Amino acid sequence: MALMVTVDLFALPACFLVAMLLRLGDLSLALQYGPAPFVLVPLATIAAFSMSDLYRAVIRFIDKRLLTVTGIALALSSLCVYTGLLALHGRSFPGSALAIYWFVAFSYVVASRISVRNFLRNHTNQRPATDNTVAIYGAGEPGAQLALTMRASREYRPVCFFDEKRALNARTIAGLRVFHTDRLSEMVDSLAIRSIIIAVPSVSPARLRSITRRMTEAGITTRILSGLLDLADDTDKAPELAMRTLKLEELLGRAPVPPRTDLFARCVRGKTVLVTGAGGSIGSELCRQIATLGPLRLHLLDHSEFALYTVRQELLARAPELRIEAHLGSVCNGALVERIMQKGAIDTVYHAAAYKHVPLVEANYVEGLRNNVLGAQCIANAAARFGVGTCVLISSDKAVRPSNIMGASKRIAELIFQAAAKQPAGTTFCMVRFGNVLGSSGSVIPLFQRQIAQGGPVTITHPEVARYFMLISEAAQLVIQAGAMAKGGDVFVLDMGEPIRIVDLARTMIALSGLTEKTAQRPDGDIEIKFVGLFPGEKLNEELLTDGEAFPSEHPRIKTMREPALLAGILDTYITCLMMACDTNDRPMIESMVKAIVADYTQQNARAAPDAPGPEPAAPKLPVPVQKIEYRS
């Protein structure tokens, strides 16, 4: 502080002399007013600077706000000095010289303080030997502020902007050159850019997905500016605070579907609810959301002791006032299911228990069929027998024109619920069909995360495989809302946007991990993507809708399907034959019975068993009455 006051005592009289020379144009004319102005003006200026806190500020962190206050204080002091000089010299003193002095003195203050600030920052915080060279995507106001903050930080070294607006191409913003996004790959190599920060905070999911795809193709990591508030923290950590890693759900290409609050609690609040498969990824999320909706009692059913214990403990911690009853056992145990329904006086059932991992079910088709088909049959029969109000089946997109045993088993479960909906009992049966759930136990996300953590390779079955994805919270909300909208026999489908290629998802995850893909063109990359071939029964593209009719529901982003169904008696006969084939582990007969029940089932890429007999027998020629379900209003 004392040093800067001393410097100003010498510099400010010089500033006033320059102002007088600029006004009068001659040194003798400037000095004719004597020494009083050259003493009074600097002293008044220093007093004004002191009152504006300029001398108490830490120069290394001086900002625009303080300089603005200093400029206002300098203007006020100049007016006061002008009044005093008029009293000494009358109207002969050139008042405009003080206006010129304001510009000269303020320029001196800004230049001197900024120069000292830059000197201190550059010499007290040496950049590390390996600079984090970054580019900024988006040359708007957020990007400009981020660039200025980064340049004051020792953690990052911004080198350029990228922007889609051609009008900004070759312009300079915040001291950095702006390049059009068409030159992205070229400039990444030329400037050795290590990562790109997306400074477009309000970017839509579709555009964000497109931008990120371009970043991953260029082989660089991507982060996003979360907000401008943290940039106000004028420290080296400000850029780090203001940026975050992209979340996978932001790359779905669509905004998450919000729930309808009037539908959300209709089948839960004040009711006794049963969730089967409660320890699974979908079942546990269902339980979490149900616990917030004020149920009378929540029953949990799962065959995994550890999973059941885990979800029960979590729910007790989240909602200690909620009455929870945990049941250990299988949904295929009809006696257990009936006992829970009868004693618990269940109002609503969410049937999430199922085997869903395609390769595992394909390799263990007997147990897969037993669990998924018999489980659905036990739940449907018990719900109808004991007067459950609403019973919701969680199905899969793989049930549409199934090409594997898992999908076929889920389609049979749908047929069981559709047949149950035709019975005179008062239970409302419906089904919810959706695609892959981000982060669920069967999702590719955890697999890719493990493979990337282990150094690769990331394994993908086929370069053109594409899937629909949804958030686990969306899945649970869809199930709960479906029960509220159901009229009987409905199949509900969420609008999930466009399918995502799995290879694009893998490349995005590699980039978000700060790594690069290893390819023939980039042999020094970190993670290799390896294509291993389609699994038996795996499709390139999944479907959500069949050839049946699709209608809008009470929710604008949820559709309801009306599909043909088998009569209950015929379906029961078929399932009995199917289970008899499972008892003898007769794969050809099992295939034949599955085709008899699910007319559009077509096994793809099947690997023949070593001891498989010759050609498969034709499907049994049993009468199969098919009728469309009538929906109750």
Side-chain angles (χ1 to χ4, degrees):
M1 174 179 174
L3 177 62
M4 293 307 302
V5 172
T6 303
V7 172
D8 289 348
L9 281 174
F10 288 97
L12 292 174
C15 292
F16 183 69
L17 178 60
V18 170
M20 294 292 286
L21 288 173
L22 291 173
R23 170 62 180 83
L24 301 173
D26 185 87
L27 181 60
S28 60
L29 293 176
L31 297 175
Q32 69 177 335
Y33 297 99
F38 293 91
V39 174
L40 183 60
V41 170
L43 289 177
T45 301
I46 289 174
F49 287 171
S50 180
M51 287 186 292
S52 67
D53 286 339
L54 179 64
Y55 293 126
R56 282 189 288 271
V58 178
I59 294 180
R60 186 170 176 269
F61 301 113
I62 199 167
D63 59 4
K64 183 171 63 176
R65 183 200 62 81
L66 181 59
L67 292 176
T68 301
V69 173
T70 301
I72 295 172
L74 178 60
L76 293 175
S77 69
S78 299
L79 288 175
C80 294
V81 169
Y82 178 65
T83 304
L85 291 176
L86 281 180
L88 288 175
H89 300 284
R91 294 188 176 275
S92 62
F93 184 81
S96 57
L98 287 172
I100 298 172
Y101 168 73
W102 184 91
F103 285 102
V104 175
F106 189 66
S107 299
Y108 153 73
V109 170
V110 173
S112 62
R113 269 59 180 184
I114 296 299
S115 298
V116 173
R117 185 187 73 171
N118 292 341
F119 175 83
L120 292 173
R121 286 183 171 180
N122 292 335
H123 289 78
T124 59
N125 288 323
Q126 295 294 331
R127 291 186 183 273
T130 56
D131 282 346
N132 191 354
T133 305
V134 301
I136 300 173
Y137 194 104
E141 180 66 23
Q145 290 192 32
L146 179 60
L148 293 172
T149 306
M150 279 184 166
R151 295 176 83 177
S153 168
R154 59 181 177 176
E155 300 294 330
Y156 298 90
R157 185 168 69 88
V159 292
C160 69
F161 285 100
F162 290 106
D163 202 283
E164 298 172 359
K165 298 177 183 176
R166 296 196 177 275
L168 295 177
N169 187 42
R171 297 289 187 91
T172 299
I173 294 178
L176 301 178
R177 191 76 173 269
V178 182
F179 298 100
H180 191 266
T181 50
D182 289 343
R183 301 185 63 187
L184 180 66
S185 298
E186 171 195 348
M187 300 314 301
V188 164
D189 294 333
S190 175
L191 299 175
I193 296 171
R194 297 178 58 187
S195 61
I196 287 186
I197 314 302
I198 301 175
V200 192
S202 60
V203 63
S204 67
R207 187 182 173 203
L208 182 60
R209 180 180 167 191
S210 174
I211 292 172
T212 307
R213 185 184 297 117
R214 299 188 68 174
M215 303 299 120
T216 55
E217 289 172 355
I220 52 178
T221 59
T222 306
R223 300 181 74 186
I224 190 168
L225 178 66
S226 59
L228 296 178
L229 184 61
D230 290 320
L231 292 178
D233 182 9
D234 196 4
T235 68
D236 289 336
K237 292 298 181 183
E240 193 69 33
L241 293 171
M243 292 181 296
R244 60 174 170 82
T245 302
L246 285 169
K247 300 175 182 177
L248 287 172
E249 52 262 37
E250 294 176 309
L251 306 177
L252 292 177
R254 62 176 177 83
V257 178
R260 277 263 308 268
T261 53
D262 58 321
L263 297 173
F264 207 38
R266 193 179 293 176
C267 293
V268 175
R269 181 165 291 123
K271 297 180 182 296
T272 302
V273 181
L274 167 64
V275 178
T276 70
S281 50
I282 300 297
S284 60
E285 179 62 22
L286 267 171
C287 292
R288 293 184 197 102
Q289 299 208 23
I290 290 169
T292 67
L293 299 174
L296 178 65
R297 184 174 297 174
L298 178 58
H299 289 258
L300 317 176
L301 174 60
D302 202 289
H303 67 86
S304 168
E305 180 187 27
F306 177 74
L308 187 64
Y309 169 79
T310 301
V311 69
R312 180 177 179 274
Q313 292 301 109
E314 180 184 346
L315 293 173
L316 288 174
R318 285 171 174 257
E321 74 288 349
L322 178 61
R323 299 170 66 185
I324 299 173
E325 293 193 22
H327 306 276
L328 183 61
S330 171
V331 289
C332 298
N333 185 339
L336 171 64
V337 171
E338 290 189 357
R339 188 164 60 250
I340 295 171
M341 298 269 192
Q342 182 181 27
K343 292 186 177 180
I346 304 297
D347 298 304
T348 304
V349 175
Y350 297 108
H351 179 42
Y355 292 148
K356 60 182 181 179
H357 194 269
V358 172
L360 282 178
V361 173
E362 201 68 27
N364 300 273
Y365 53 91
V366 170
E367 289 307 313
L369 284 166
R370 285 186 186 279
N371 187 74
N372 294 357
V373 174
L374 282 184
Q377 193 174 48
C378 288
I379 292 294
N381 290 342
R385 180 178 177 184
F386 295 103
V388 171
T390 303
C391 192
V392 184
L393 168 70
I394 298 176
S395 187
S396 166
D397 56 357
K398 295 173 179 60
V400 180
R401 284 181 274 274
S403 61
N404 51 65
I405 289 295
M406 197 286 283
S409 69
K410 296 302 287 184
R411 178 56 188 147
I412 296 173
E414 290 182 355
L415 291 170
I416 291 170
F417 269 54
Q418 287 174 313
K422 284 293 295 175
Q423 301 307 305
T427 303
T428 300
F429 291 91
C430 68
M431 294 129 281
V432 177
R433 188 185 288 161
F434 48 71
N436 293 267
V437 178
L438 282 174
S440 69
S441 60
S443 171
V444 298
I445 304 298
L447 172 63
F448 286 172
Q449 287 173 332
R450 289 194 299 271
Q451 291 176 335
I452 291 171
Q454 293 166 2
V458 171
T459 55
I460 300 175
T461 57
H462 192 281
E464 297 303 320
V465 167
R467 294 290 182 265
Y468 292 98
F469 284 94
M470 67 193 307
L471 306 180
I472 195 167
S473 58
E474 286 183 305
Q477 291 164 3
L478 172 61
V479 171
I480 295 172
Q481 291 175 102
M485 295 186 292
K487 296 178 174 61
D490 319 67
V491 179
F492 292 97
V493 178
L494 181 70
D495 178 6
M496 298 179 66
E498 296 298 320
I500 300 174
R501 287 203 317 160
I502 301 300
V503 67
D504 292 337
L505 181 63
R507 286 171 176 154
T508 298
M509 292 184 65
I510 291 171
L512 293 182
S513 301
L515 304 171
T516 57
E517 181 185 355
K518 183 178 181 180
T519 62
Q521 295 75 26
R522 191 183 290 112
D524 58 343
D526 303 300
I527 303 292
E528 178 187 5
I529 293 179
K530 185 177 180 180
F531 297 103
V532 297
L534 292 172
F535 292 125
E538 184 180 15
K539 292 181 180 180
L540 282 179
N541 298 283
E542 297 289 0
E543 305 167 275
L544 287 169
L545 303 176
T546 64
D547 293 329
E549 299 176 276
F551 300 91
S553 69
E554 294 181 54
H555 194 293
R557 295 285 299 278
I558 299 176
K559 297 178 182 179
T560 179
M561 294 286 299
R562 297 181 182 177
E563 300 177 341
L566 297 175
L567 290 174
I570 297 298
L571 181 61
D572 288 343
T573 301
Y574 276 12
I575 291 175
T576 300
C577 295
L578 175 61
M579 291 301 108
M580 290 173 62
C582 288
D583 289 340
T584 60
N585 198 27
D586 187 344
R587 179 65 185 251
M589 181 55 70
I590 290 172
E591 291 279 349
S592 297
M593 291 309 307
V594 169
K595 288 179 181 178
I597 301 171
V598 184
D600 52 5
Y601 167 65
T602 305
Q603 181 74 8
Q604 295 180 1
N605 306 314
R607 298 171 183 170
D611 56 347
E616 293 183 1
K621 300 296 184 180
L622 299 176
V624 187
V626 176
Q627 64 181 53
K628 289 198 174 182
I629 294 176
E630 299 296 330
Y631 292 85
R632 301 192 295 272
S633 58

